[in-house]
Amino acid sequence: MTDEKRNPAGIRVRKPLEITYSANCPPIQARIEDISETGFFLDNTNALHVDSELDYVIELPDESGPTRIEGKGRVVWIQPTVGAGVEFLDLGQEDRETI
């Protein structure tokens, strides 16, 4: 695993969530193991590379129905055969508060 730069004050929520993402490929469905206002851990063994960008769609559970969050992320670290740490690149304040 490469060095990870997380916001020490950031709260990570360990909750499996479904994600659909694309990194110069057809959309792939995968799972997020944890999420914070700065990024998420993508539980996926598909070939991703540090600094590669991806488009994502995440549906967060909500009392009134799922809240859809979509945007761009960047892979900041990889743990082979396990997954990748992805940081949000364009997460709006409203989505940040929802998370």
Side-chain angles (χ1 to χ4, degrees):
M1 182 177 350
T2 62
D3 289 338
E4 202 180 342
K5 295 182 173 97
R6 289 185 181 170
N7 175 356
I11 296 172
R12 299 195 77 72
V13 177
R14 297 189 65 74
K15 179 160 182 74
L17 299 168
E18 298 299 315
I19 183 172
T20 301
Y21 76 93
S22 176
N24 294 323
C25 63
I28 297 171
Q29 291 186 329
R31 181 184 300 271
I32 292 174
E33 291 299 322
D34 65 47
I35 190 168
S36 75
E37 64 182 35
T38 59
F40 55 88
F41 175 74
L42 180 63
D43 181 8
N44 184 12
T45 58
N46 289 323
L48 291 171
H49 304 285
V50 172
D51 288 330
S52 61
E53 291 188 8
L54 53 88
D55 296 312
Y56 63 84
V57 176
I58 303 167
E59 289 198 7
L60 298 173
D62 191 347
E63 293 172 359
S64 61
T67 298
R68 184 178 173 114
I69 294 177
E70 55 187 288
K72 292 193 177 294
R74 181 178 68 89
V75 176
V76 293
W77 57 265
I78 301 269
Q79 187 174 8
T81 71
V82 177
V86 178
E87 74 175 339
F88 294 118
L89 293 179
D90 60 356
L91 191 65
Q93 186 59 34
E94 186 176 329
D95 288 341
R96 202 173 296 279
E97 290 172 7
T98 298
I99 291 171

